[in-house]
């Protein structure tokens, strides 16, 4: 029995299923979470299926999470999607169920769960959820689940431009697009920003510091985010922006938190940056990672390390 069949058997076995995803979600986290929930509901109408985690207004168009009591976890199957490590799971009750499954596409540095399906070659967990459906004839796909999974793939591939996009990704997206939803609306929703975000985008472009090697960084303080009437979660939409500049090879966006530390969003067009992220309490993909800096000193360390990494990469390509 392969892993996708094992997961189906576990889904079939439990009457209550609770699906978690990572904190500060993106379209893939929500799309895979709610897309999977929709597939299970369509296949097993009698089962109780819940999606948990903080609700963000900007993602209301994808769906809304459920509020459940602790006792619901008793004898429940819990599935954590798109979450590389345990501290990032949204809602720490994820390990209080009867059985835990991890479904992810990040490097499996933090192994957790009774059953793990990790495919680092997949563009997104939404792509993996489609593969789970496709591998089990009994599972049913609804129009809304197809919409959610398509949105997740579009989000995590950067509109099909990131290196993790494969011919299989296009095949899955094409199959999903045959269901009754608008791919145009999804594209518009994922590109849409409001006036405060447009001001933040302008700030990033005006204040981005780019080194001679092509590494770049910008710092977003609490005061800036508050003055623009934005929340920390809003800044995630701005992460790809430095990559639109041709001379930028990789970049770090430092977002100040309420405790004065900084979340670091790292992205790259070539150099692997996940090992650098691990050195600063984070991790992720070779070209897309996250980390933490406790103060200005650590910010300077990350900036210098990123610059050295970029220099080595550029030198090797000469």
């Amino acid at each position: 029995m392969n892993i996708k069949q094992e997961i189906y058997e576990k889904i079939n076995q439990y009457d209550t299923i609770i699906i978690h995803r990572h904190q500060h979600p993106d379209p893939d986290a929500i799309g895979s979470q709610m897309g999977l929930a929709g597939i299970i509901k369509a296949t097993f109408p009698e089962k109780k299926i819940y999606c948990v985690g903080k609700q963000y207004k900007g993602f209301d168009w994808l769906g809304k999470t459920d509020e459940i009591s602790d006792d619901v976890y008793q004898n429940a199957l819990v599935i954590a999607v798109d979450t590389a490590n345990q501290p990032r799971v949204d809602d720490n009750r994820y390990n209080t169920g009867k059985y835990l499954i991890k479904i992810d596409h990040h490097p499996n540095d933090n192994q957790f769960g009774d059953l793990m399906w990790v495919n680092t070659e997949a563009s997104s967990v939404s792509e993996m959820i489609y593969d789970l459906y496709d591998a089990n004839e009994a599972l049913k796909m609804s129009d809304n689940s197809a919409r959610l999974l398509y949105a997740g793939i579009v989000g995590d591939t950067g509109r099909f431009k990131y290196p993790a996009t494969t011919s299989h990704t296009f095949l899955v997206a094409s199959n999903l697009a045959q269901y009754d939803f608008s791919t145009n609306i999804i594209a518009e929703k994922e590109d849409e920003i409001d006036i405060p975000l447009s001001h933040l985008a302008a700030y990033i472009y005006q204040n981005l510091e780019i080194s001679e090697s092509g590494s770049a960084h910008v710092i977003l303080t609490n005061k800036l985010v508050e003055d623009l009437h934005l929340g920390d979660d809003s800044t995630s939409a701005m992460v790809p922006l430095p990559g639109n500049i041709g001379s930028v090879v990789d970049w770090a966006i430092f977002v100040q938190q309420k405790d004065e530390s900084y979340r670091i969003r790292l992205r790259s067009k070539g150099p692997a940056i996940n090992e650098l992220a691990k050195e600063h309490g984070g991790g992720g993909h070779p070209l897309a990672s996250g980390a933490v800096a406790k103060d200005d000193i650590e910010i300077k360390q990350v900036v210098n390390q990123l610059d050295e990494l970029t220099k080595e990469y550029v030198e090797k390509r000469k």
Side-chain angles (χ1 to χ4, degrees), residues 2-9 130-140:
N2 65 39
I3 188 69
K4 285 171 277 197
Q5 290 173 321
E6 286 186 66
I7 292 172
Y8 170 78
E9 290 300 325
Y130 177 86
D131 289 339
L132 174 67
Y133 152 78
D134 193 46
N136 292 280
E137 292 183 359
L139 292 176
K140 298 177 181 178

Side-chain angles (χ1 to χ4, degrees), residues 16-272:
T16 300
I17 300 171
I18 305 168
I19 308 175
H20 289 244
R21 37 80 172 158
H22 64 72
Q23 301 168 3
H24 306 288
D26 52 23
D28 185 36
I30 298 174
S32 60
Q33 177 192 37
M34 296 192 175
L36 175 59
I39 290 171
I40 298 172
K41 287 176 183 177
T43 309
F44 304 100
E46 73 285 358
K47 292 184 184 294
K48 296 177 181 178
I49 315 299
Y50 303 99
C51 293
V52 298
K54 183 179 178 180
Q55 182 68 35
Y56 291 88
K57 186 176 180 181
F59 287 129
D60 284 353
W61 64 278
L62 288 172
K64 295 189 177 181
T65 52
D66 302 299
E67 292 187 11
I68 60 175
S69 58
D70 295 351
D71 64 304
V72 178
Y73 282 82
Q74 187 175 3
N75 297 318
L77 169 65
V78 180
I79 304 175
V81 299
D82 197 32
T83 311
N85 50 65
Q86 291 167 282
R88 290 204 70 206
V89 180
D90 194 341
D91 194 325
N92 58 18
R93 296 178 295 175
Y94 72 94
N95 60 0
T96 63
K98 184 74 172 179
Y99 195 90
L100 176 62
I101 298 175
K102 173 185 180 180
I103 302 177
D104 191 35
H105 70 134
H106 301 92
N108 198 20
D109 296 324
N110 181 190
Q111 300 182 15
F112 66 91
D114 301 295
L115 182 64
M116 291 181 290
W117 176 29
V118 177
N119 180 8
T120 56
E121 301 300 313
S123 71
S124 55
V125 175
S126 293
E127 180 180 311
M128 294 174 67
I129 298 303
Y130 177 86
D131 289 339
L132 174 67
Y133 152 78
D134 193 46
N136 292 280
E137 292 183 359
L139 292 176
K140 298 177 181 178
M141 178 73 70
S142 66
D143 291 330
N144 190 49
S145 285
R147 179 184 74 94
L148 289 161
L149 298 181
Y150 184 88
I153 292 170
V154 168
D156 245 31
T157 59
R159 319 307 185 261
F160 303 104
K161 73 178 181 181
Y162 296 156
T165 307
T166 65
S167 59
H168 180 66
T169 307
F170 284 113
L171 177 62
V172 171
S174 176
N175 290 340
L176 290 169
Q178 295 178 44
Y179 287 83
D180 188 16
F181 68 91
S182 171
T183 58
N184 294 338
I185 289 176
I186 288 174
E188 289 170 3
K189 279 290 187 183
E190 297 205 20
D191 280 338
E192 186 179 272
I193 61 173
D194 55 21
I195 296 299
L197 278 176
S198 72
H199 292 161
L200 179 61
Y203 178 91
I204 288 173
Y205 280 132
Q206 289 172 350
N207 293 274
L208 190 71
E209 295 187 34
I210 306 173
S211 71
E212 290 184 10
S213 70
S215 66
H217 75 277
V218 65
I219 299 172
L220 308 180
T221 64
N222 280 328
K223 186 178 186 308
L224 171 69
V225 173
E226 289 170 5
D227 288 348
L228 291 175
H229 304 291
L230 293 168
D232 173 43
D233 56 291
S234 301
T235 63
S236 62
M238 301 293 102
V239 176
L241 294 185
N244 293 332
I245 300 172
S247 61
V248 171
V249 178
D250 45 38
W251 61 99
I253 297 181
F254 298 89
V255 185
Q256 192 173 31
Q257 306 297 290
K258 291 181 180 179
D259 65 358
E260 303 298 319
S261 68
Y262 292 82
R263 288 185 64 202
I264 311 171
R265 293 185 168 102
L266 288 161
R267 296 295 184 271
S268 172
K269 294 178 183 176

